[in-house]
């Protein structure tokens, strides 16, 4: 990953003030006011007056920004392989979520896309547990009694000195409306122009606690020293940023930056939007000859998102009076479009709970490396947590349809895979080619099974919730075998 070009309004601050360590921003999505509010969490009295508090923020620039001089290029972001014989993707024309400030076609949004790392606190401490605040969507997925969760930093019968890094309110509000493939200096330069497509991975209100400490681990029968970690992290799906007063989102969307009938970007988008998420993991990180080894002794990942297709807020509908009638002439997509359900096909919600291992294998950087040999590999396995009883839903996946009714509000129906059990192995390869991103994947069910050991089959319950209580339909079981897929993405 990398970035280049000019930025503006960059800020860096340092102090020792720990007063905000306990404060979490959150959004009440059930109310009419979607502006962030602050909630304090307990358990942070250890910080006292010591420790480091700092922040970093900057706004990105794009073509036409008067702040750019003759020799200063606008901001671009790059992601891809590195080393000899590699390709990457360069993203440009970075803009905020909303194209306009209102439904007035002339009221263009002139604000810059930006990154704000929020408030970062670094302390050394010996604490056994901390509290963490989640929003209502995550609370519902976890079936938690409260939006303030308490989790153990170290085993309850041990004390451990840790370096605690806490992030409060990180925002990355940037959507790239142009992209192009670029190459390493060892191979021919790609001279094709930027494509009329882009990618948006904005992040809103990321909060995190990361504890680091010394920990031993065993890999392939050899015990080594590693870096122990304990991580709790969350993101907010949608809300009004209290610092900027603008609509903000956590999403993963592909954007069509081609121009329409009004000679401006139409800004069609498709993907996952308004992602509420919560990740809790603890384990160890080690460095092996093959790559980076990450072991999660406990891993809990819960999220809810909308699958949507539409236009970015504040864009002009791509129609004229001649094609769509008088109401279509320079009509603006609502500024609060991401809070409406008009573009939503369906929603997904899931909870993964268990333990796993991951080996990150970087690509080759030898003198004879090529794009076919220089790729990123991911190898690992995941074991779902055992159920505690008949009422335990365990790990699950839900596909949800939400119907908005004028008189009775919103009603939900869903198809679900509940009580997911088993032990799966996986391997993925990510290859950047001259004009294509290729993803090769393999999932092996019951990957530890042998001729003498049956292992643990992949099982789940399929259930429906038409408009009320969950109703079981059938049991599913996959006793073994592998599932392979290859996906190639070639932008137009």
């Amino acid at each position: 990953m990398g970035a280049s070009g000019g930025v503006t309004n960059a800020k860096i601050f340092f102090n020792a003030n720990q007063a905000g360590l306990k404060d979490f921003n959150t959004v009440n999505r059930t109310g009419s006011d979607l502006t962030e509010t602050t909630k304090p969490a307990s358990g942070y009295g250890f910080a006292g007056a010591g420790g480091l508090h700092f922040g970093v923020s900057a706004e990105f620039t794009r073509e036409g920004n008067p702040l750019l001089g003759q020799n200063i290029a606008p901001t671009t972001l790059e992601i891809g392989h590195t080393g000899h014989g590699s390709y990457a993707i360069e993203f440009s024309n970075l803009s905020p979520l909303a194209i306009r400030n209102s439904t007035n076609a002339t009221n263009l949004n002139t604000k810059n896309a930006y990154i704000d790392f929020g408030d970062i606190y670094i302390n050394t401490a010996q604490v056994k547990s901390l509290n963490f605040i989640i929003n209502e969507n995550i609370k519902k997925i976890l079936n938690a009694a409260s939006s303030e969760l308490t989790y153990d930093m170290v085993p309850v019968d041990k004390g451990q000195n840790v370096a605690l890094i806490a992030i409060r309110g990180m925002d990355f509000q940037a959507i790239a409306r142009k992209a192009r493939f670029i190459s390493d200096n060892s191979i021919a330069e790609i001279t094709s122009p930027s494509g009329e497509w882009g990618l948006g991975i904005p992040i809103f209100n990321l909060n995190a606690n990361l504890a680091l400490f010394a920990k031993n681990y065993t890999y392939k029968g050899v015990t080594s020293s590693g870096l122990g970690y304990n991580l709790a992290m969350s993101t907010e799906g949608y809300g009004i940023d209290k610092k900027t007063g603008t609509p903000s989102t956590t999403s993963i969307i592909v954007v069509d930056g081609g121009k329409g009938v009004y000679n401006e970007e139409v800004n069609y988008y498709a993907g996952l939007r308004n992602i509420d998420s919560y990740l809790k993991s603890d384990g160890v990180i080690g460095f092996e000859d093959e790559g980076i080894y990450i072991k999660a002794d406990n891993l809990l990942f819960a999220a809810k998102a909308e699958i949507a297709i539409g236009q970015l807020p504040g864009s002009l509908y791509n129609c004229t009076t001649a094609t769509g009638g008088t109401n279509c002439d320079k009509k603006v997509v609502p500024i609060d479009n991401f809070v409406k359900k008009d573009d939503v096909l369906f929603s997904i919600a899931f909870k993964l709970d268990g333990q796993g291992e991951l080996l990150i294998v970087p690509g080759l950087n030898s003198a004879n490396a090529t794009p076919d040999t220089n790729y990123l590999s991911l190898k690992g396995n995941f074991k779902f947590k055992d159920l505690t009883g008949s009422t335990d839903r365990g790990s699950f996946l839900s596909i949800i349809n939400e119907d908005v009714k004028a008189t009775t509000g919103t009603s939900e129906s869903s198809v679900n895979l509940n009580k997911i059990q088993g032990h799966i192995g996986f391997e993925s390869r990510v290859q950047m080619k001259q004009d294509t991103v290729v993803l090769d994947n393999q999932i092996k069910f019951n990957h530890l099974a042998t001729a003498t050991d049956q292992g643990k089959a992949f099982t789940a319950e399929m259930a429906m919730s038409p408009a009320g209580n969950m109703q079981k339909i059938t049991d599913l079981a996959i006793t073994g075998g592998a599932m392979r897929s290859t996906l190639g993405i070639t932008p137009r």
Side-chain angles (χ1 to χ4, degrees):
M1 298 180 64
S4 61
V7 297
T8 184
N9 291 331
K11 300 177 183 177
I12 302 176
F13 70 82
F14 294 90
N15 59 49
N17 187 353
Q18 301 292 306
L21 176 61
K22 66 182 185 305
D23 295 332
F24 290 75
N25 292 334
T26 187
V27 177
N28 179 14
R29 304 264 280 282
T30 61
S32 58
D33 186 359
L34 299 179
T35 305
E36 289 179 299
T37 57
T38 301
K39 290 185 178 181
S42 57
Y44 293 89
F46 66 88
L52 175 64
H53 171 216
F54 72 98
V56 179
S57 63
E59 296 179 9
F60 304 127
T61 58
R62 45 183 165 162
E63 290 184 6
N65 192 312
L67 297 176
L68 292 174
Q70 292 183 349
N71 299 322
I72 302 177
T75 310
T76 59
L77 305 177
E78 299 89 25
I79 184 170
H81 296 312
T82 60
H84 193 278
S86 60
Y87 292 107
I89 303 177
E90 177 191 84
F91 297 99
S92 59
N93 194 11
L94 305 177
S95 63
L97 174 66
I99 309 303
R100 287 172 170 79
N101 296 314
S102 69
T103 54
N104 184 338
T106 63
N107 189 13
L108 290 171
N109 183 3
T110 59
K111 293 182 178 179
N112 296 316
Y114 69 95
I115 185 169
D116 183 347
F117 287 95
D119 293 282
I120 302 174
Y121 302 90
I122 300 178
N123 288 274
T124 56
Q126 187 178 91
V127 289
K128 291 189 174 182
S129 65
L130 283 177
N131 285 19
F132 199 92
I133 291 180
I134 55 176
N135 65 22
E136 289 298 318
N137 278 338
I138 298 301
K139 175 185 172 184
K140 182 178 179 181
I141 293 173
L142 297 179
N143 195 27
S146 169
S147 59
E148 184 170 347
L149 305 179
T150 301
Y151 68 92
D152 292 329
M153 294 283 292
V154 295
V156 293
D157 59 339
K158 296 181 179 179
Q160 176 74 60
N161 292 317
V162 303
L164 178 64
I165 304 171
I167 301 174
R168 300 291 181 262
M170 175 188 170
D171 297 319
F172 173 70
Q173 292 299 304
I175 294 176
R177 290 191 277 171
K178 280 190 176 182
R180 70 184 183 102
F181 284 86
I182 57 177
S183 61
D184 172 62
N185 292 335
S186 63
I187 51 182
E189 181 183 0
I190 300 175
T191 58
S192 58
S194 298
E196 294 180 345
W197 64 280
L199 182 68
I201 314 180
I203 299 172
F204 174 49
N205 190 28
L206 184 148
N207 295 304
N209 287 340
L210 173 61
L212 300 174
F213 46 89
K215 185 175 182 178
N216 292 335
Y217 70 96
T218 301
Y219 179 72
K220 292 185 176 181
V222 179
T223 299
S224 306
S225 298
L227 182 65
Y229 73 90
N230 190 308
L231 172 67
M233 183 177 70
S234 69
T235 63
E236 193 81 45
Y238 182 86
I240 306 299
D241 191 324
K242 67 178 183 180
K243 289 179 287 188
T244 64
T246 57
S248 301
T249 182
T250 300
S251 300
I252 304 174
I253 54 177
V254 178
V255 179
D256 184 345
K259 293 186 177 181
V261 296
Y262 296 107
N263 198 34
E264 74 171 45
E265 292 91 345
V266 179
N267 299 312
Y268 292 125
Y269 77 89
L272 298 168
R273 75 173 202 185
N274 299 346
I275 303 171
D276 296 297
S277 67
Y278 174 69
L279 173 65
K280 175 65 187 72
S281 178
D282 62 84
V284 65
I285 301 172
F287 297 91
E288 299 294 327
D289 292 339
E290 302 100 315
I292 302 173
Y293 173 71
I294 303 175
K295 182 180 181 181
D297 298 319
N298 299 282
L299 175 63
L300 171 63
F301 184 33
K304 183 177 182 180
E306 298 170 338
I307 309 295
I309 300 175
Q311 286 180 262
L312 294 180
S315 303
L316 291 179
Y317 286 107
N318 194 33
C319 60
T320 63
T321 302
T323 59
T326 56
N327 290 331
C328 203
D329 186 41
K330 289 192 175 181
K331 186 176 180 181
V332 178
V333 177
I335 305 303
D336 59 350
N337 190 39
F338 267 42
V339 79
K340 298 178 179 291
K341 299 296 183 181
D342 298 351
D343 297 346
V344 178
L345 303 179
F346 56 89
S347 298
I348 60 171
F350 64 85
K351 183 180 80 170
L352 297 178
D353 192 4
Q355 59 187 44
E357 296 174 291
L358 175 65
L359 184 67
I360 303 174
V361 184
L364 298 175
N365 191 25
S366 60
N368 58 353
T370 69
D372 291 324
T373 61
N374 185 5
Y375 54 80
L376 178 68
S377 295
L378 305 173
K379 302 177 182 180
N381 65 84
F382 185 81
K383 182 180 180 181
F384 293 93
K385 185 178 180 179
D386 293 334
L387 302 176
T388 58
S390 59
T391 60
D392 184 5
R393 192 180 181 186
S395 298
F396 68 87
L397 169 66
S398 296
I399 299 176
I400 305 166
N401 180 62
E402 296 176 313
D403 293 321
V404 181
K405 300 180 180 179
T407 55
T408 58
T410 302
S411 62
E412 292 186 357
S413 57
S414 63
V415 178
N416 310 271
L417 283 179
N418 297 330
K419 300 183 178 181
I420 301 175
Q421 296 283 276
H423 196 171
I424 61 174
F426 60 87
E427 182 174 353
S428 298
R429 293 180 178 179
V430 182
Q431 289 182 281
M432 289 280 189
K433 298 191 175 182
Q434 185 172 358
D435 60 356
T436 305
V437 180
V438 179
L439 306 174
D440 290 322
N441 304 288
Q442 174 179 281
I443 296 178
K444 186 175 181 181
F445 297 97
N446 196 2
H447 80 116
L448 293 181
T450 64
T452 57
D453 186 353
Q454 294 183 358
K456 190 173 180 63
F458 178 87
T459 61
E461 287 186 2
M462 187 174 182
M464 292 186 66
S465 178
N469 296 329
M470 194 81 67
Q471 301 175 14
K472 179 181 174 181
I473 300 175
T474 186
D475 290 308
L476 302 176
I478 303 176
T479 57
M483 181 173 66
R484 298 179 176 89
S485 68
T486 298
L487 174 64
I489 304 173
T490 305
R492 64 180 175 88

